Amino acid sequence: MGAVGQLIANLDVEDTGRALHQQIRDLYPLCRSITGEGLRETLRWIQRSIPLEVREVATGTQVLDWTVPREWSIRDAYIADAAGNRVVDFKRHNLHVVNYSAPISARMSLDELRPHLYTLPDRPGWIPYRTSYYDESWGFCLSHNQLLALPDGEYDVCIDSTLADGHLSYGEYVIAGESAEEILVSTHVCHPSLANDNLSGTVVATRLAELLSRDRHRYTFRFLFIPGTIGSITWLALNKPLLGNIRHGLVLAGAGDAGPLSYKRSRRGNAGIDRAVEHVLRQRGNEYLIRDFEPYGYDERQYCSPGFNLPVGNVSRTPFGQYPEYHTSADDPDFVKADALADSLAFCLEILHVLESNGRHFNLMPEGEPQLGRRGLYGPIGGATEARTFQMAMLWALNLSDGSHSLLDIAERAGMPFGVIYDAAEALTEHGLLKPLPPDQDA
Ligand code: ZN
């Protein structure tokens, strides 16, 4: 069934979901950003599972139209009332400080403070997530209820942060395959305490890489764990000679909420990755959503910018920004579900199985149907229904293996899952009825 097919067959969905969910709980407290120690600590955590190379790119480096920013360090941040009580405290929740805030230490009235406070009046119990990466400023995020409870008066405002020359860190892991052609999997790792947006992609991509590293595959796999936007721009700027090798790519993000799976097509719209993902979604039999490319969203925006136009789509569950918890304190570990995490992982494996195992075959006995029963090919697996399905898959694979149809073409035409057609073609090949043709680019 192929190495990836074997991973799918062996996946213990319940155990895996539980483990991934626990990993999200472990990573959740770290205060990540697009640079700095929280990001590095997250990359070190990933290194416990896979030999991730951590790259450091110096502040000031020109990357495409951007410049690698100064590194942000945060030690403490609070607003304290006249009695010294911390009424807003970064140590209670790291979303309380606007990410990338410049340092400040001052006493001011509530009215002076107000322009620096961000709340969600429609969701008065939640803390919003705000950033100021490319515009030096400072601020606090708090629940609207907290704001309403603040009496007028003087407050001590402290953000103990540093913005200084340093580095932008990202992680890269390459699993060399038989071919130099690559499948890219990219996920962002720059959000502080947010579970679905960020951590779900981090843990699913880490597990995916760890599983794939156990075998040798046709494609070379490249995993990127990068800060959003500036990370993909930096990687693209520094790796232009490699880009021609990328045959397929996925940006993985928002993989743990309870919503159905969704896929945003690459800018090309009809790339091999688009066909493979759409086939898997249709065949899974669950609710799903397919969206056309738009130049907004996650890092596919950069991979699919017109100068690169890479065949990279985006796998998520509920699309980014389309759930109220998005970019708020309600995107916490309870918002992500163990079964959704495991399902997203299985989905990625199913996509990769198509990409890895797709190919064309040649029917060596094309005149009339070969006698399958004589070769023990009837009912080789499972019960009667499975045997019947397998038989149909063999008939389709025999009939359409004329050298011009790929297994994915056959699966689509037959309306059957790719894995069943692949297994049928493998059995027919073992019995000398099909001959695989060498892989080609668009098979
Ligand atoms: Zn986000």
Side-chain angles (χ1 to χ4, degrees):
M1 57 176 69
V4 181
Q6 199 67 57
L7 290 174
I8 297 167
N10 292 345
L11 189 68
D12 181 330
V13 173
E14 248 177 65
D15 266 14
T16 304
R18 260 197 305 271
L20 295 178
H21 202 193
Q22 184 55 48
Q23 293 176 349
I24 286 180
R25 290 187 192 283
D26 295 344
L27 286 169
Y28 181 74
L30 293 176
C31 184
R32 280 161 291 268
S33 186
I34 54 171
T35 61
E37 267 317 298
L39 172 61
R40 286 195 189 94
E41 204 168 330
T42 302
L43 297 174
R44 284 195 290 271
W45 178 89
I46 297 169
Q47 284 176 322
R48 295 191 212 163
S49 301
I50 52 174
L52 192 72
E53 300 270 3
V54 174
R55 319 268 186 217
E56 299 278 356
V57 183
T59 299
T61 305
Q62 274 302 126
V63 285
L64 307 180
D65 194 41
W66 298 57
T67 307
V68 172
R70 287 177 295 169
E71 193 174 317
W72 186 62
S73 307
I74 176 84
R75 292 164 293 273
D76 197 6
Y78 60 87
I79 301 170
D81 63 17
N85 302 310
R86 290 184 173 207
V87 291
V88 176
D89 189 354
F90 165 77
K91 292 194 166 154
R92 265 200 299 242
H93 205 304
N94 62 37
L95 292 183
H96 276 314
V97 68
V98 170
N99 203 281
Y100 246 69
S101 278
I104 181 160
S105 177
R107 174 166 289 193
M108 61 184 75
S109 69
L110 183 57
D111 279 342
E112 288 171 291
L113 182 53
R114 230 178 257 281
H116 297 276
L117 301 182
Y118 302 92
T119 68
L120 296 168
D122 292 345
R123 303 276 178 183
W126 297 356
I127 308 164
Y129 163 52
R130 288 283 155 86
T131 66
S132 65
Y133 300 143
Y134 305 105
D135 148 43
E136 189 170 329
S137 63
W138 62 270
F140 287 87
C141 299
L142 58 162
S143 74
H144 201 63
N145 290 337
Q146 260 177 306
L147 176 64
L148 294 178
L150 291 183
D152 278 330
E154 295 283 300
Y155 289 91
D156 282 320
V157 177
C158 168
I159 297 179
D160 181 11
S161 67
T162 315
L163 281 166
D165 284 357
H167 293 83
L168 173 142
S169 322
Y170 68 87
E172 185 164 23
Y173 176 43
V174 177
I175 307 170
E178 287 156 18
S179 161
E181 297 188 332
E182 294 190 3
I183 298 177
L184 176 73
V185 179
S186 175
T187 193
H188 64 289
V189 286
C190 54
H191 288 29
S193 288
L194 293 159
N196 193 44
D197 184 9
N198 198 145
L199 289 179
S200 66
T202 308
V203 301
V204 171
T206 301
R207 179 60 66 100
L208 190 60
E210 193 269 311
L211 290 172
L212 291 169
S213 70
R214 298 175 186 181
D215 301 288
R216 191 161 172 86
H217 302 280
R218 167 176 156 193
Y219 284 106
T220 290
F221 287 93
R222 184 180 301 271
F223 282 83
L224 295 179
F225 296 86
I226 51 177
T229 308
I230 188 68
S232 51
I233 282 172
T234 299
W235 186 82
L236 285 162
L238 301 180
N239 291 279
K240 283 190 187 179
L242 285 176
L243 302 183
N245 286 340
I246 296 176
R247 284 283 156 261
H248 311 285
L250 287 176
V251 167
L252 183 61
D257 65 275
L261 285 162
S262 68
Y263 178 66
K264 175 179 156 186
R265 293 184 178 120
S266 73
R267 180 175 179 272
R268 299 184 188 181
N270 60 353
I273 185 69
D274 301 318
R275 259 195 93 199
V277 178
E278 290 176 37
H279 169 76
V280 173
L281 279 174
R282 276 194 300 273
Q283 284 298 324
R284 292 182 118 232
N286 303 322
E287 194 189 334
Y288 64 87
L289 177 68
I290 293 173
R291 299 182 301 144
D292 271 321
F293 178 78
E294 57 169 352
Y296 197 61
Y298 290 114
D299 285 306
E300 69 279 0
R301 293 157 67 167
Q302 315 309 331
Y303 301 121
C304 295
S305 55
F308 299 121
N309 201 21
L310 295 174
V312 176
N314 156 232
V315 162
S316 294
R317 300 192 76 87
T318 305
F320 95 110
Q322 294 188 16
Y323 48 97
E325 295 84 356
Y326 175 78
H327 279 190
T328 77
S329 57
D331 181 4
D332 65 10
D334 291 333
F335 179 64
V336 297
K337 307 298 171 203
D339 57 347
L341 291 164
D343 184 56
S344 298
L345 176 69
F347 177 53
C348 290
L349 286 170
E350 289 159 28
I351 296 164
L352 297 180
H353 184 31
V354 175
L355 299 176
E356 268 287 301
S357 312
N358 195 19
R360 298 172 212 271
H361 293 69
F362 210 74
N363 183 343
L364 297 173
M365 213 159 280
E367 297 180 338
E369 286 176 5
Q371 219 183 333
L372 298 177
R374 179 159 64 81
R375 294 176 169 86
L377 280 165
Y378 273 144
I381 52 160
T385 317
E386 271 187 23
R388 166 91 187 133
T389 305
F390 198 69
Q391 183 190 334
M392 283 307 299
M394 284 189 294
L395 294 177
W396 276 111
L398 282 166
N399 192 280
L400 292 181
S401 287
D402 52 8
S404 70
H405 296 91
S406 70
L407 294 179
L408 181 56
D409 293 333
I410 299 171
E412 292 276 86
R413 178 74 190 279
M416 299 177 83
F418 175 88
V420 177
I421 296 290
Y422 176 81
D423 290 348
E426 199 179 42
L428 293 167
T429 302
E430 276 166 23
H431 285 81
L433 294 172
L434 289 186
K435 184 178 103 171
L437 297 176
D440 63 28
Q441 287 188 6
D442 35 54

